[in-house]
Each structure stands twice: as C-alpha cells, then as structure tokens.
C-alpha cells in the first residue's frame, strides 16, 4: 500500500469540521462546569463529601474544555496528525489524564453513595473531609503520573497497547467498583422501599396526616442522588463507547497499515467521549433542586453584573459626549 493509504491523517475539510465541533463542545464544557464549581463554592448545602467529588469531576470536565478542546482545535486547524508531534502527544496525555480522573471520581462518588445508603453510621464515621481530600488528591496525582507513560511510546503500532492499558486502568477497574456499588445500592433501595411502604401504611392507620420521618426523607434524597450519578455514568459510557469500540477493533487488527488508518475514526470517537463533559452539569441542574437554585443565582449574578457594566459604560459615554 502507498504511504497515503497507510496514513491516519484526516482531509483538510474534515479537520475544519472537527475544529468547529471541538470549539463548541469546549465552550459548553467550560461554561457548564464553571457554573457547577461556583454553585458548590457559593452554596452551603452543597458542602458535602459527595458534592466535593462532583466538584473534582467538574474540574476534570473543565480541563476537557479549557485544555483538550483547544489542543484538538489546534491539531485540526493545522492538520497535524503525526503521532509524535508535540500537539498530538499533549492531546493524548491530557485525554488519558481526564479519562482516569473522570472514571475514578465516578467510582469514588458511587462508593460514597453506596456507603451512605447501605450503612449510614459507618458512612458518617469513615467518609470524613480528610478521607475525601486524600481520595481526590490520589486521583489527580495518579492520573497525571499514569498519563505521562505516553511519552515512552514512540511507534504508532504500539499505541493500541497503551490504550488497552488505559482501558483496563481507566475503565475496567473503576467500573468494577461502580458496578459493585450500584448492585448493592439498588438492592438496598428495594428493601428500603418495602420498609417505607410498610411504615406509610402503619402511619395512615394511626393518623391520616402523620409527621414526616426525617430518616425516610434522607433515604429518598440519597437514592435520588445515587440515581443522578447513575444517569451520569450511563451517559458517559454511551458517549465513550464509540472510542472504546474503535480502540478494541484497532487492537484486534493484525494489519499494521489498517491499524494506522483506523486512527482516522478514533478522532470522531474521542470527540463524542469529550462531549459528556459538556452534558454533565445540566444533569445536576435537572435532577437536584439545590443545584438548580444555585445555577439560577449564578446566572442572575452574571446578568446583573453585565447589566450594571453596560449601564456604567452608557453613562460614561453620554457624560463624555456632553463634555
């Protein structure tokens, strides 16, 4: 085969199309995750261990928009697709880093919800702020250390081996924790639902308007929070699946030339997986009242500041023209 047929480079028109899509996805990721971080920072009711894991996840999603998307925009605009080009290496290092950060944070918050629902007393004793800080610190240090392994890979045909290692560390291990956690979460949820229904029937016999049980309310809130994380995990897997399938096909292919050509399709799978970073913030807003109210406050503050600045600018303009 010719060199052109064995190339993983994209056509220029396709590259420009990728530029636009990465730019839009990056802007939405930055906007949404800045709002999440401001919401957690400004809202006392969101100062909980599980929300700090979500904040850590939002930082990772923010980096997708602020670092990875610009790198891909630069690669696409300059039509740079060589494996050892600095832009390519930087983009792949950050892709690995944010992948591991995202999946490990999802595993951490899943484990957090599992303990909160299945053993509340143990949860309060173990899931302290100190343990949260240690867990988040480990996630970020490990993700950067692992991603720099990309610097050791210099041959294009060796890249699938690295990505299969990424798949094992970044997907298999955290999703084993997530699967275990959610199996027991829904198992406990069934048991709690039966108990709540039995208690509700008992209360209705004694009084048609019995007082609300705070434990029951907390149980429902924990279950809703767990369901929200479950939705985020499901959407993440859905959007990451094209990249995982393409990587799997590339690994199983024995033809070296075909391995390189398949890279062209991987670029689209990567774009799809990065899109989850732009989607996550709006899931929180749709599912959690505290986040919805916090989002509204942030938007209101932005709009009021913008209006005030415009009014000041208009006043100064009129004042200078009158002079």
């Amino acid at each position: 085969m010719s060199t052109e047929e064995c190339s993983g480079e994209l056509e220029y028109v396709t590259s420009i199309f990728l530029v636009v899509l990465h730019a839009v996805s990056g802007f939405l990721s930055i906007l949404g995750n800045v709002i999440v971080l401001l919401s957690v920072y400004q809202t006392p009711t969101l100062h909980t261990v599980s929300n700090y894991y979500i904040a850590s996840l939002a930082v990772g999603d923010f980096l997708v928009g602020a670092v990875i998307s610009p790198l891909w925009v630069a690669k696409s605009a300059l039509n740079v697709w060589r494996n050892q080009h600095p832009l390519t290496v930087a983009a792949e290092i950050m892709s690995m880093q944010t992948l591991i950060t995202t999946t490990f944070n999802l595993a951490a918050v899943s484990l957090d919800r599992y303990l909160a629902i299945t053993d509340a007393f143990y949860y309060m004793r173990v899931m302290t702020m100190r343990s949260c800080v240690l867990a988040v610190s480990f996630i970020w240090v490990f993700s950067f250390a692992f991603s720099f392994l990309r610097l050791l890979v210099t041959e294009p045909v060796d890249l699938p081996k690295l990505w299969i290692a990424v798949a094992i560390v970044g997907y298999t291990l955290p999703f084993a924790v997530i699967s275990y956690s959610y199996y027991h979460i829904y198992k406990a949820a069934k048991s709690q639902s039966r108990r709540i229904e039995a208690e509700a029937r008992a209360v209705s016999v004694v009084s048609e308007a019995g007082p609300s049980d705070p434990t029951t309310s907390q149980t429902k809130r924990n279950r809703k929070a767990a369901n929200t994380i479950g939705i985020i995990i499901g959407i993440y897997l859905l959007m990451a699946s094209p990249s995982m399938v393409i990587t799997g096909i590339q690994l199983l292919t024995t033809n070296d030339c075909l391995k390189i050509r398949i890279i062209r399709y991987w670029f689209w799978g990567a774009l799809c997986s990065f899109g989850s970073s732009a989607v996550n913030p709006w899931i929180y807003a749709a599912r959690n009242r505290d986040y919805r109210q916090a989002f509204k406050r942030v938007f209101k503050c932005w709009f009021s500041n913008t209006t005030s600045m415009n009014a000041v600018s208009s006043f100064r303009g009129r004042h200078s023209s009158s002079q």
Side-chain angles (χ1 to χ4, degrees):
M1 288 189 179
S2 67
T3 304
E4 184 178 353
E5 288 175 325
C6 285
S7 172
E9 295 182 4
L10 297 174
E11 295 180 0
Y12 188 70
V13 174
T14 306
S15 298
I16 295 301
F17 193 46
L18 269 179
V19 166
V20 175
L21 293 178
H22 273 293
V24 172
S25 175
F27 172 76
L28 293 175
S29 296
I30 292 171
L31 175 66
N33 288 290
V34 164
I35 295 173
V36 169
L37 292 170
L38 285 174
S39 298
V40 173
Y41 177 74
Q42 295 176 354
T43 309
T45 55
L46 295 178
H47 293 178
T48 63
V49 169
S50 58
N51 282 312
Y52 288 140
Y53 286 125
I54 288 175
S56 176
L57 176 62
V59 173
D61 287 339
F62 171 82
L63 287 179
V64 170
V67 179
I68 295 180
S69 290
L71 284 172
W72 280 92
V73 166
K75 276 170 54 68
S76 302
L78 298 174
N79 206 24
V80 172
W81 305 108
R82 288 186 292 109
N83 292 97
Q84 290 308 114
H85 191 281
L87 280 176
T88 301
V89 174
E92 292 183 356
I93 286 174
M94 289 306 300
S95 296
M96 292 179 196
Q97 190 275 326
T98 52
L99 163 66
I100 293 173
T101 301
T102 298
T103 55
F104 276 45
N105 274 305
L106 288 174
V109 76
S110 298
L111 190 60
D112 175 88
R113 292 297 85 202
Y114 157 68
L115 291 175
I117 290 174
T118 59
D119 195 338
F121 294 109
Y122 181 75
Y123 173 81
M124 288 187 289
R125 190 170 71 253
V126 173
M127 287 297 184
T128 61
M129 194 57 62
R130 181 176 179 274
S131 64
C132 176
V133 170
L134 288 174
V136 169
S137 299
F138 169 78
I139 289 170
W140 282 90
V141 170
F142 176 77
S143 65
F144 274 108
F146 186 89
S147 63
F148 277 110
L149 290 175
R150 172 63 179 85
L151 296 173
L152 303 178
V153 179
T154 57
E155 294 297 329
V157 294
D158 292 332
L159 277 175
K161 298 175 184 177
L162 175 61
W163 284 106
I164 202 64
V166 173
I168 293 171
V169 174
Y171 286 116
T172 306
L173 297 180
F175 280 103
V177 174
I178 290 169
S179 299
Y180 175 86
S181 298
Y182 270 86
Y183 169 76
H184 288 283
I185 283 172
Y186 288 115
K187 187 177 177 182
K190 273 189 176 182
S191 174
Q192 289 171 353
S193 294
R194 288 194 292 267
R195 180 179 61 80
I196 290 169
E197 289 174 4
E199 289 176 355
R201 284 195 296 268
V203 168
S204 64
V205 170
V206 176
S207 171
E208 292 185 359
S212 176
D213 183 0
T215 304
T216 299
S217 300
Q218 183 62 41
T219 298
K220 290 180 178 179
R221 284 195 295 271
N222 285 336
R223 284 170 52 189
K224 187 172 183 179
N227 288 336
T228 300
I229 301 303
I231 292 170
I232 291 170
I233 292 167
I235 290 176
Y236 178 83
L237 281 175
L238 180 66
M239 299 185 77
S241 58
S243 178
M244 290 190 288
V245 170
I246 292 167
T247 300
I249 293 172
Q250 190 182 42
L251 182 71
L252 295 173
T253 301
T254 55
N255 186 310
D256 287 346
C257 181
L258 188 56
K259 280 181 183 287
I260 297 172
R261 290 172 63 193
I262 288 174
I263 294 174
R264 300 176 186 179
Y265 301 98
W266 185 85
F267 297 134
W268 295 100
L271 172 66
C272 186
S273 64
F274 296 151
S276 64
S277 297
V279 174
N280 288 345
W282 312 111
I283 299 175
Y284 308 140
R287 296 278 304 174
N288 187 294
R289 184 179 60 185
D290 289 336
Y291 274 106
R292 281 197 301 274
Q293 292 173 347
F295 275 36
K296 288 176 183 177
R297 284 194 296 271
V298 171
F299 279 122
K300 186 177 179 180
C301 180
W302 281 358
F303 287 134
S304 63
N305 287 341
T306 302
T307 304
S308 299
M309 290 174 65
N310 289 338
V312 171
S313 299
S314 176
F315 172 78
R316 286 176 176 173
R318 289 197 302 269
H319 181 67
S320 57
S321 63
S322 65
Q323 289 178 338

